Amino acid sequence: KAGVTQTPRYLIKTRGQQVTLSCSPISGHRSVSWYQQTPGQGLQFLFEYFSETQRNKGNFPGRFSGRQFSNSRSEMNVSTLELGDSALYLCASSLEGTSGRNEQFFGPGTRLTVL
Amino acid sequence: AQSVAQPEDQVNVAEGNPLTVKCTYSVSGNPYLFWYVQYPNRGLQFLLKYITGDNLVKGSYGFEAEFNKSQTSFHLKKPSALVSDSALYFCAAYAGNMLTFGGGTRLMVKP
């Protein structure tokens, strides 16, 4: 079974630009969550999607948005990039996210650098 | 607000010795608790979880964790450390419809 894939793996952008990151979950997984990992703030939850609906959102500004498609693939968008958005963005999928009983499977991440 | 604490930024242990990576949590209700490991330039890999039942949970690669409700702790343990266990370890708690992570503990196993 293929794991969670994320594209691109590395991205360099400049301040003010916008970026879209993509995540393909494990086949059969309907829940996709996104996390931001930085040395200073650690791992922070961005949002979770289940069956094309955003079910939960972390404490991030509206510049961060996402969506999920009918095939469970998900995209995350960051508009008006700031230097502080430089981070490793991790996507994780699980069978279903409502109960939290199922472990999440993480992709390798997209390393975003904002110059 | 829920939180997960990993009080040690780094743990050093000699190969063959037992290891413990500490985790405490503060969440409402009965949490689901997880341990993940991250190797350089990789995503997180699931090690083990506590949902309910036996307080001692066994996981991948010989790791186990002990859930202690009274101390609100979920320490990760392994009887005999390997050099290949050197990595970044994260404790996490699922509550309030989200997974909250601790700050991570870097485990260094020396030959």
Side-chain angles (χ1 to χ4, degrees):
Chain A
K1 213 176 202 180
V4 177
T5 58
Q6 292 186 247
T7 56
R9 290 293 310 278
Y10 301 92
L11 208 48
I12 299 175
K13 293 286 187 179
T14 56
R15 280 180 298 174
Q17 288 187 309
Q18 76 167 26
V19 66
T20 299
L21 312 181
S22 181
C23 171
S24 292
I26 291 172
S27 177
H29 285 192
R30 297 168 64 192
S31 171
V32 173
S33 297
W34 288 89
Y35 298 87
Q36 182 195 65
Q37 185 177 19
T38 60
Q41 299 298 318
L43 271 161
Q44 292 186 289
F45 171 77
L46 279 157
F47 28 65
E48 184 219 355
Y49 286 87
F50 181 79
S51 293
E52 302 178 64
T53 300
Q54 186 181 89
R55 205 155 53 172
N56 202 12
K57 191 178 192 306
N59 189 25
F60 279 82
R63 300 185 297 107
F64 291 81
S65 63
R67 58 178 176 169
Q68 187 180 33
F69 301 95
S70 57
N71 62 357
S72 293
R73 190 177 70 84
S74 178
E75 288 182 346
M76 189 191 102
N77 185 278
V78 187
S79 62
T80 321
L81 284 166
E82 300 177 0
L83 295 178
D85 296 334
S86 295
L88 180 67
Y89 290 88
L90 294 166
C91 165
S93 74
S94 65
L95 279 170
E96 60 85 20
T98 37
S99 69
R101 289 171 173 260
N102 300 113
E103 59 270 25
Q104 296 185 8
F105 294 83
F106 284 78
T110 294
R111 172 75 61 186
L112 172 64
T113 301
V114 183
L115 303 176
Chain B
Q2 52 219 24
S3 63
V4 177
Q6 295 180 242
E8 301 154 316
D9 289 337
Q10 182 161 316
V11 169
N12 298 309
V13 64
E15 187 175 30
N17 282 2
L19 69 87
T20 298
V21 182
K22 296 179 181 178
C23 170
T24 58
Y25 63 91
S26 174
V27 302
S28 56
N30 296 316
Y32 300 146
L33 300 167
F34 301 81
W35 276 101
Y36 289 86
V37 59
Q38 185 176 35
Y39 296 98
N41 300 315
R42 302 277 294 276
L44 277 67
Q45 294 178 33
F46 168 75
L47 279 179
L48 50 80
K49 66 181 176 182
Y50 173 82
I51 303 299
T52 187
D54 195 350
N55 290 341
L56 185 63
V57 180
K58 294 189 183 297
S60 306
Y61 313 118
F63 284 94
E64 57 189 28
E66 186 169 12
F67 171 67
N68 188 316
K69 188 172 183 178
S70 62
Q71 297 186 0
T72 60
S73 67
F74 189 54
H75 301 331
L76 181 70
K77 301 181 180 184
K78 187 174 182 181
S80 179
L82 299 172
V83 172
S84 57
D85 292 330
S86 298
L88 188 56
Y89 290 80
F90 289 95
C91 179
Y94 188 92
N97 292 325
M98 72 171 70
L99 199 58
T100 300
F101 285 88
T105 298
R106 186 164 301 281
L107 174 66
M108 299 290 291
V109 182
K110 298 180 180 179

